[in-house]
């Protein structure tokens, strides 16, 4: 019998951190450079990555959106936003 252990990563590289937040890597870097998102940590002379805990905390701190989900987001029936609720 074998046991599989899954360990949550401590750090994520740029692409993984951006995907984790549903952002593009370019957008994450722009936001981090402006102080609007966590900045990466320096792991070694040529390597930096984002601390997962900081990404989670930052993501949870963002305000709730009042925008409707995009039509291609899978929200509602057949991938379109449920417009029937708009008339209520």
């Amino acid at each position: 019998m074998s046991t599989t252990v899954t360990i949550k990563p401590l750090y994520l590289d740029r692409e993984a951190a951006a995907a984790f937040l549903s952002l593009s890597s370019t957008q994450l870097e722009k936001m981090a450079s402006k102080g609007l998102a966590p900045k990466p940590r320096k792991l070694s002379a040529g390597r930096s990555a984002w601390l997962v805990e900081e990404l989670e905390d930052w993501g949870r701190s963002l305000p709730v959106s009042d925008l409707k989900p995009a039509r291609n987001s899978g929200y509602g029936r057949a991938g379109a936003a449920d417009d029937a609720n708009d008339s209520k």
Side-chain angles (χ1 to χ4, degrees):
M1 183 169 154
S2 79
T3 303
T4 302
V5 177
T6 304
I7 300 173
K8 178 179 162 180
L10 185 60
Y11 290 96
L12 295 173
D13 65 15
R14 183 179 76 156
E15 289 76 22
F20 182 72
L21 295 168
S22 298
L23 296 171
S24 70
S25 55
T26 303
Q27 185 66 27
L28 175 59
E29 283 192 341
K30 284 180 184 178
M31 292 176 78
S33 70
K34 293 178 182 179
L36 301 174
K39 293 187 183 222
R41 302 288 187 110
K42 187 172 184 174
L43 303 180
S44 67
R47 180 107 171 123
S48 63
W50 277 260
L51 186 61
V52 171
E53 185 177 320
E54 289 178 352
L55 295 175
E56 289 174 333
D57 291 345
W58 176 74
R60 287 186 182 101
S61 74
L62 295 173
V64 174
S65 175
D66 58 354
L67 300 174
K68 288 177 69 173
R71 289 203 168 271
N72 64 352
S73 69
Y75 174 77
R77 218 181 320 188
D82 186 3
D83 293 327
N85 289 333
D86 289 346
S87 61
K88 292 182 182 179

